[in-house]
Amino acid sequence: MSDSIGMPRVRVATTSLAGCFGCHMSFLDMDERLFELVKVVEFDRSPLTDIKHCGPCDIGLIEGGVCNAENVHVLREFRRNCKTLVAVGACAINGGLPAQRNHLDLGDCLQQVYVKRDGIEEGGVPDDPELPLLLDRVHPIHEVVRVDYFIPGCPPSGEAIWKFLTDLIGGRTPRLAHPLLRFD
Amino acid sequence: MGGKFLFDGRPVPFEEGQTILQAARAAGHYIPHLCWHPDFPPHGSCKLCIVKVGGRHVSSCALPARDGMEVESNTPEINGERRALLQMLFVEGNHFCPSCEKSGNCQLQALAYELDMSSARFAHFYPDRPVDASHPDVLLDFNRCIFCELCVRASRDVDHKGVFALTDRGIRKHLVVNAESGRLADTDFAVSDRAADICPVGVILHKRVGFALPIGERKYDEASICTVAMEKGE
Amino acid sequence: MQDAERIAAQAVERHRREPSQLLQILVETQDGIGHLPAASLTRIADLLDLPRSRVEGVAGFYSFLYTEPVGRYRILFSDNIIDRMLGSRGLMESLCRRLEVAPGEVSAGGAASVDTTSCTGMGDQGPAILVNGLAVTRLDEGRVERIASLVRAGTPLVEWPAEYFRVDDNIRRRGALLGEDFVPGAALQAAMARGRQGWLEEMRISGLRGRGGAGFTTAVKWLACRDAPGTDKVVVCNADEGEPGTFKDRVLLASQAERIFEGMTLAAWATGARQGLLYLRGEYRYLLKHLRAVLALRRAVGLLGARILGEGGFDFDIDIHLGAGAYVCGEETALLESLEGKRGTPRIRPPFPVTHGYLGRPTVVNNVETLAKTTLIALQGGAAFAATGTPQSTGTKLLSISGDCAYPGVYEYPFGVTIEHVLEDCGAHDPQVVQVGGASGVTIAGHEFHRRIAFEDVPTAGAFMVFDGRRDPFEMARNFVHFFAHESCGFCTPCRVGTALLKGYMDKLASGKGAKMDLADIEWLDRLLKNASHCGLGSSAPNPVIDTLIKFRPAYERRLVSLDFKPAFDLDAALETARRMTGRDDPAAHLDWREEV
């Protein structure tokens, strides 16, 4: 990455919706390149900063699909604030593992888990307003907001994320080719 | 009566009866394909092998080569359309690569890599397609079917069993097996059948060999589908 | 189930255990049972020595074959846009209410099932339905009420008022074909007097082009079939008139069957074929009896069978095959597959049917109207035929006119007639849009009404649907997109998935969730369908969308709620199950879909 002294740093926000934080772990797998990255990047909302709400940003990285109402709010907040929104990982791109429930009826799922399961005595579906309600299906994020780029992988490698971000920050249309482009 | 045609501007010789795809491959030029297989007659359903001849789109697996043809294949326009066809196949079924035993050996996935597909673009259908684990040696995961009919053709024309067929039509089209119960275990399918090893994606899977070769060391992890196809004749 | 197996076995035996008769066997088995139970398919497969999976594959392909039980009265509403404009949707709701059945389901006790079906070819006398495969026309609230009570009483169809099943010809304008009396055998005698070569020469001079839409020169087709190696040639009449809004072949089959069969025989004279097959769409099943009677008559007077008109070596006979609800079978190679008892999947071409057709034999496939026209050429000569029409489009064309006009019906015009002329004749008072050529045809806007019906300008297989100022071109296009998604055979990726996706986008716009990005996606899908599809169904499926997006773009734009992006699904509705399960209704239990992102 080029010398960036005097250049305003690129503001990046990250979050995980219906994901496992594996993509964030992979982000950390950039290892010593993280030092390179922070020379040109500053973080807004992200598990790395603990900032609770996203402000105006250049790039938003979204891990995970959309499985509940809170996911929708967070995703919309990112879309409102980020000039470029990137879907990171299988779940953000096609729903991934959480979307394996999509051919099941949500009502049956909740019944099975909270009411009928062996060992549950006074069962009941949790109704605390603090808990976000589940959508009847899990959706990739591009079915809920407009998405500009996609980094596939479960998770994408640190190498792939690095290549993608350096392309993007360097003003090149990001492109992942074999073997960085992977779906597994 | 053979001849010569231009493939992306380069001369390609052909023999009488060869299709565009066959002649191009013989000359070392790869054309993407999913339903085509070197051991079977052309089928022409996946449309990944579309090329442009004289301004018209044609299936290169099925169209006999003609002298003087000008064929466009590896162009941004055609590759863009091929990518969109892949995206259609991805949204139509349930293709969750991370949990699929075929990952790394899957032609659909490998072609998506080859054609720079980073997302499925369209809305996912998420169809409900229950798996059939009834057979002692083979699992059928219909979620990944791309309707290439290679299993249908292999079972009918090589194994002479007719274990597989397609029923219904349009987007509801689906694979069925040759049993009133609908279960593979109730057919005469055998793990030694040609049809057991023909699936380009992860529908027909052998039991008890899952993940024997780790992800990352598989066929298309090592080399692109273009290289594998041309070097191994697949 | 033993009954089912017995009925299936009888059907197989009636067709001499011939696998190519599979579709006919399935139709007859269903006639006897009501649907096709799993055991009947197994039995049929055993007797025909076919894999059961193949039999199941065929049974699953055709809309009119049911592998699950359906009502004793199967009522299907023709769902073309024209039927809808005549009120079919409201009438269907009314009937469903009266019979206490939901669309697509079977009523309690199994008395009735009510559903929609693709255009049944009654656009000039709709709204139309099929009851157990038989056409009922001119439906109104009164008929719906009466039909509901007939169904509830279990009255057999033969005791229903005959008037309900009346299908009118509604011939409004007669030209050379519809205007002249025809003496069976006269055309054949004239052609035979010229000799086979001389007859082909007259056909060449006539310049006759196929009336099914593609416009291929008939004489060239016949010549190629004649010259193809093989002695067992076949003539096929394509009476699978499935294009929405078309019904002129139905009128020809009803009123000019002699000409059609004589045309097939003329094709046999030219090509040397000995076998003829007429593929009748399932919706026109009510014509079967009449057509078979005409065939019997022609056999009795020596116009079919061995030594036709005493000519040694001129042997030719005709069978009728019944379709079972699959528009794609109008495509000639899909039709051949269907005739062979298979799924109606279009073949790879080349080879073409003229060399490798029915069961691999050289085959001529011609449209009903084309074959009927050949009798004119035989009687008047090719030059006289070519004197009408335009140099590239000789002769006359039958138009099936329906929609917003005073006089719907069949009109015969010389090729080259302008659209405005036709509109004036049929009494269209405020025409805004004309859909020429059916769902796969061309959408004509007002500024184009000077254009001419001809292969070189506005080609058509015969449909001419008129829409006045009250109508919405977007809804027309959406209806056609639904039609194509329903009728796609599913063989190739672009058509199978592309028509389903296109339907999704059109429904998204219709439900008020459209965004500017959707228009770009629609145009991209249009292009993929056009370029990459295997057959004409897929490549013409986007036509109504392409045309209306160009000519009636505001009909799309005014449906947009965002100039950027909107989800296709209702986010708040997607929380409904969770709300119900938790009993919550607090503000956080809702999502406002209008919230700008």
Side-chain angles (χ1 to χ4, degrees):
Chain A
M1 201 160 286
S2 61
D3 180 22
S4 58
I5 295 167
M7 294 275 286
R9 287 196 291 177
V10 174
R11 197 158 176 89
V12 176
T14 78
T15 192
S16 178
L17 307 176
C20 68
F21 280 93
C23 297
H24 275 83
M25 300 307 288
S26 209
F27 185 90
L28 298 178
D29 273 347
M30 274 189 244
D31 297 333
E32 71 278 6
R33 281 170 170 164
L34 283 170
F35 297 113
E36 283 287 303
L37 194 66
V38 292
K39 286 183 193 162
V40 290
V41 160
E42 60 185 356
F43 285 96
D44 193 280
R45 173 175 174 164
S46 168
L48 304 172
T49 61
D50 217 24
I51 296 173
K52 300 295 182 205
H53 286 284
C54 183
C57 284
D58 299 294
I59 301 170
L61 302 177
I62 309 278
E63 170 191 339
V66 182
C67 81
N68 64 28
E70 187 202 18
N71 292 161
V72 175
H73 292 304
V74 173
L75 182 58
R76 282 173 166 175
E77 178 182 300
F78 269 67
R79 181 66 278 182
R80 266 198 305 272
N81 285 290
C82 301
K83 290 181 201 158
T84 301
L85 196 66
V86 186
V88 184
C91 302
I93 291 173
N94 65 21
L97 189 70
Q100 303 290 321
R101 75 157 157 97
N102 279 356
H103 65 275
L104 304 172
D105 176 73
L106 176 63
D108 292 345
C109 287
L110 292 172
Q111 278 277 330
Q112 204 62 44
V113 173
Y114 292 109
V115 182
K116 291 185 184 161
R117 195 161 49 141
D118 286 346
I120 286 189
E121 286 177 10
E122 279 183 50
V125 181
D127 57 358
D128 190 319
E130 287 292 303
L131 294 172
L133 286 189
L134 292 172
L135 298 166
D136 55 5
R137 278 184 159 195
V138 179
H139 293 269
I141 66 168
H142 75 268
E143 292 180 12
V144 180
V145 298
R146 178 170 50 77
V147 175
D148 301 301
Y149 297 101
F150 303 83
I151 312 180
C154 186
S157 64
E159 181 77 20
I161 299 172
W162 166 258
K163 165 76 165 66
F164 182 93
L165 284 178
T166 48
D167 274 352
L168 196 59
I169 293 164
R172 300 177 293 277
T173 303
R175 179 170 179 274
L176 297 174
H178 191 84
L180 291 181
L181 181 66
R182 300 185 60 100
F183 297 168
D184 54 15
Chain B
M1 191 209 68
K4 221 171 6 186
F5 64 89
L6 282 180
F7 183 82
D8 287 334
R10 285 161 294 187
V12 165
F14 69 93
E15 289 161 23
E16 175 71 19
Q18 269 188 320
T19 62
I20 295 171
L21 185 142
Q22 285 173 318
R25 282 172 68 91
H29 304 296
Y30 173 69
I31 299 177
H33 59 82
L34 285 170
C35 71
W36 183 83
H37 188 289
D39 298 345
F40 291 87
H43 188 57
S45 70
C46 74
K47 299 298 168 195
L48 262 292
C49 76
I50 48 166
V51 294
K52 235 168 132 174
V53 177
R56 280 174 55 92
H57 288 67
V58 299
S59 298
S60 64
C61 72
L63 193 72
R66 280 195 312 274
D67 200 41
M69 268 180 169
E70 292 187 26
V71 178
E72 293 173 53
S73 176
N74 192 15
T75 66
E77 179 196 354
I78 300 289
N79 283 337
E81 290 171 350
R82 288 174 180 151
R83 191 182 309 122
L85 294 171
L86 288 173
Q87 288 168 323
M88 288 181 177
L89 291 171
F90 270 90
V91 295
E92 162 186 45
N94 295 310
H95 297 277
F96 296 113
C97 298
S99 62
C100 178
E101 154 60 16
K102 201 64 180 271
S103 195
N105 292 323
C106 169
Q107 291 188 20
L108 178 69
Q109 183 193 61
L111 260 188
Y113 296 167
E114 180 75 14
L115 290 165
D116 285 343
M117 190 194 109
S118 66
S119 88
R121 174 175 179 145
F122 305 111
H124 287 72
F125 288 70
Y126 295 120
D128 184 13
R129 299 186 189 162
V131 301
D132 177 353
S134 64
H135 195 275
D137 301 317
V138 168
L139 171 81
L140 295 181
D141 190 335
F142 299 107
N143 288 294
R144 301 144 184 177
C145 186
I146 56 168
F147 309 108
C148 67
E149 292 186 57
L150 274 167
C151 60
V152 176
R153 293 179 275 159
S155 186
R156 183 188 61 208
D157 302 336
V158 182
D159 305 326
H160 305 292
K161 289 183 177 178
V163 169
F164 300 102
L166 294 171
T167 191
D168 217 318
R169 71 175 191 222
I171 200 68
R172 300 173 314 279
K173 187 170 83 162
H174 61 275
L175 200 60
V176 290
V177 300
N178 191 28
E180 192 176 309
S181 66
R183 288 157 29 102
L184 188 66
D186 297 331
T187 70
D188 54 353
F189 185 72
V191 72
S192 54
D193 285 357
R194 183 76 172 96
D197 284 303
I198 200 80
C199 183
V201 294
V203 178
I204 304 175
L205 297 171
H206 294 225
K207 288 184 174 176
R208 295 177 297 278
V209 294
F211 297 95
L213 197 62
I215 297 267
E217 296 174 22
R218 297 179 172 196
K219 194 191 300 182
Y220 304 116
D221 294 331
E222 305 284 330
S224 73
I225 190 169
C226 160
T227 310
V228 173
M230 300 311 289
E231 286 177 359
K232 299 188 181 165
E234 285 176 1
Chain C
M1 271 314 110
Q2 277 172 350
D3 251 11
E5 290 185 42
R6 186 178 46 79
I7 290 165
Q10 285 167 349
V12 174
E13 297 305 335
R14 265 197 305 281
H15 291 277
R16 300 175 304 282
R17 300 195 179 210
E18 181 52 61
S20 66
Q21 297 292 309
L22 177 56
L23 178 55
Q24 308 306 305
I25 291 168
L26 291 169
V27 168
E28 290 175 24
T29 303
Q30 177 169 286
D31 287 345
I33 305 172
H35 74 291
L36 293 168
S40 70
L41 299 184
T42 307
R43 186 83 179 118
I44 289 168
D46 285 347
L47 291 171
L48 293 177
D49 200 19
L50 291 173
R52 186 190 187 279
S53 54
R54 188 180 139 194
V55 176
E56 187 179 355
V58 173
F61 186 86
Y62 296 91
S63 288
F64 295 165
L65 297 180
Y66 305 95
T67 51
E68 299 291 329
V70 283
R72 289 188 291 281
Y73 295 89
R74 300 184 306 279
I75 299 170
L76 296 173
F77 279 76
S78 178
D79 200 28
N80 189 26
I81 185 75
I82 300 296
D83 293 278
R84 287 194 181 200
M85 282 154 49
L86 293 166
S88 65
R89 280 282 151 152
L91 293 169
M92 180 164 146
E93 279 170 31
S94 166
L95 184 64
C96 283
R97 207 165 43 239
R98 291 170 191 280
L99 293 175
E100 295 175 13
V101 61
E105 287 173 17
V106 185
S107 64
S113 44
V114 179
D115 209 341
T116 55
T117 188
S118 299
C119 180
T120 60
M122 301 288 165
D124 57 337
Q125 47 205 302
I129 56 173
L130 295 173
V131 182
N132 292 357
L134 295 182
V136 172
T137 56
R138 290 174 295 270
L139 214 62
D140 55 23
E141 197 53 54
R143 284 195 175 184
V144 162
E145 188 184 343
R146 183 88 183 94
I147 286 171
S149 48
L150 288 166
V151 167
R152 277 197 304 265
T155 312
L157 282 187
V158 289
E159 292 169 27
W160 287 26
E163 168 68 12
Y164 288 12
F165 301 99
R166 199 188 86 214
V167 178
D168 292 333
D169 287 345
N170 288 335
I171 297 172
R172 309 282 189 179
R173 189 180 195 283
R174 293 174 190 272
L177 184 67
L178 299 175
E180 286 165 33
D181 290 335
F182 179 67
V183 180
L188 207 45
Q189 265 168 345
M192 286 165 69
R194 290 188 173 100
R196 293 180 195 254
Q197 185 59 42
W199 163 228
L200 257 173
E201 181 59 15
E202 287 303 322
M203 280 292 294
R204 192 191 61 77
I205 293 167
S206 76
L208 176 68
R209 295 170 69 175
R211 269 25 178 185
F216 195 79
T217 304
T218 309
V220 172
K221 205 183 249 187
W222 288 12
L223 196 64
C225 180
R226 185 198 70 178
D227 293 343
T231 53
D232 49 358
K233 288 160 187 165
V234 186
V235 172
V236 172
C237 174
N238 183 346
D240 191 39
E241 182 179 48
E243 190 64 50
T246 315
F247 46 82
K248 48 99 186 167
D249 289 346
R250 184 247 299 157
V251 172
L252 287 177
L253 290 160
S255 66
Q256 307 276 341
E258 288 278 7
R259 276 195 196 264
I260 298 164
F261 292 136
E262 190 137 333
M264 291 177 73
T265 317
L266 288 167
W269 176 243
T271 58
R274 297 160 58 92
Q275 186 179 1
L277 296 164
L278 182 139
Y279 188 100
L280 183 69
R281 74 183 302 222
E283 289 82 345
Y284 294 169
R285 185 176 189 159
Y286 73 97
L287 288 168
L288 200 52
K289 206 168 140 190
H290 157 68
L291 292 172
R292 286 195 173 133
V294 174
L295 284 179
L297 202 63
R298 288 182 69 85
R299 276 183 209 113
V301 298
L303 293 173
L304 282 175
R307 293 178 57 86
I308 289 174
L309 290 176
E311 177 82 14
F314 187 16
D315 309 335
F316 181 70
D317 211 330
I318 298 170
D319 267 331
I320 301 174
H321 276 240
L322 197 59
Y327 164 76
V328 69
C329 290
E331 197 279 343
E332 62 175 5
T333 61
L335 182 139
L336 293 171
E337 290 285 300
S338 186
L339 281 175
E340 293 180 10
K342 298 176 185 160
R343 294 165 59 80
T345 302
R347 295 175 180 171
I348 290 172
R349 296 178 301 176
F352 291 94
V354 286
T355 58
H356 296 78
Y358 177 66
L359 298 173
R361 296 150 53 182
T363 304
V364 157
V365 184
N366 284 138
N367 167 263
V368 168
E369 183 184 347
T370 313
L371 287 163
K373 292 271 163 72
T374 64
T375 59
L376 295 176
I377 297 162
L379 288 167
Q380 310 161 356
F385 182 86
T388 323
T390 74
Q392 293 84 32
S393 310
T394 56
T396 61
K397 182 76 194 89
L398 300 190
L399 297 180
S400 320
I401 300 182
S402 63
D404 297 318
C405 61
Y407 315 109
V410 171
Y411 292 66
E412 183 178 10
Y413 285 102
F415 265 120
V417 67
T418 63
I419 286 166
E420 55 203 352
H421 185 124
V422 176
L423 287 169
E424 195 157 319
D425 285 359
C426 71
H429 295 303
D430 174 31
Q432 298 297 313
V433 188
V434 182
Q435 183 71 16
V436 182
S440 68
V442 190
T443 309
I444 301 285
H447 68 273
E448 303 171 279
F449 287 171
H450 63 279
R451 292 179 65 182
R452 293 173 187 280
I453 301 292
F455 292 109
E456 64 274 23
D457 190 357
V458 182
T460 174
F464 192 100
M465 291 179 269
V466 184
F467 302 87
D468 68 19
R470 296 167 296 167
R471 312 298 179 188
D472 183 346
F474 171 84
E475 278 303 332
M476 177 198 78
R478 188 165 81 98
N479 177 263
F480 293 155
V481 166
H482 275 248
F483 165 77
F484 284 116
H486 176 68
E487 295 294 348
S488 169
C489 79
F491 174 74
C492 72
T493 310
C495 180
R496 181 180 68 248
V497 190
T499 54
L501 285 169
L502 198 54
K503 178 178 148 183
Y505 281 105
M506 296 297 276
D507 289 352
K508 184 183 179 197
L509 261 64
S511 68
K513 300 188 192 76
K516 195 93 177 183
M517 270 181 75
D518 299 326
L519 298 189
D521 280 355
I522 288 172
E523 282 168 335
W524 175 226
L525 285 171
D526 287 347
R527 187 179 131 190
L528 290 162
L529 277 161
K530 194 143 266 310
N531 287 346
S533 293
H534 181 65
C535 80
L537 190 157
S539 61
S540 53
N543 285 354
V545 181
I546 293 173
D547 280 355
T548 50
L549 262 175
I550 292 172
K551 298 171 188 176
F552 300 95
R553 202 172 181 88
Y556 288 76
E557 286 168 338
R558 65 189 169 78
R559 290 190 150 80
L560 304 183
V561 291
S562 161
L563 296 180
D564 183 20
F565 176 92
K566 276 288 171 198
F569 64 101
D570 184 336
L571 282 158
D572 190 58
L575 293 175
E576 180 52 37
T577 308
R579 274 195 296 269
R580 178 167 45 80
M581 297 299 293
T582 56
R584 280 177 53 188
D585 198 26
D586 55 282
H590 289 274
L591 281 167
D592 184 356
W593 67 270
R594 283 164 308 203
E595 184 188 327
E596 277 303 320
V597 293

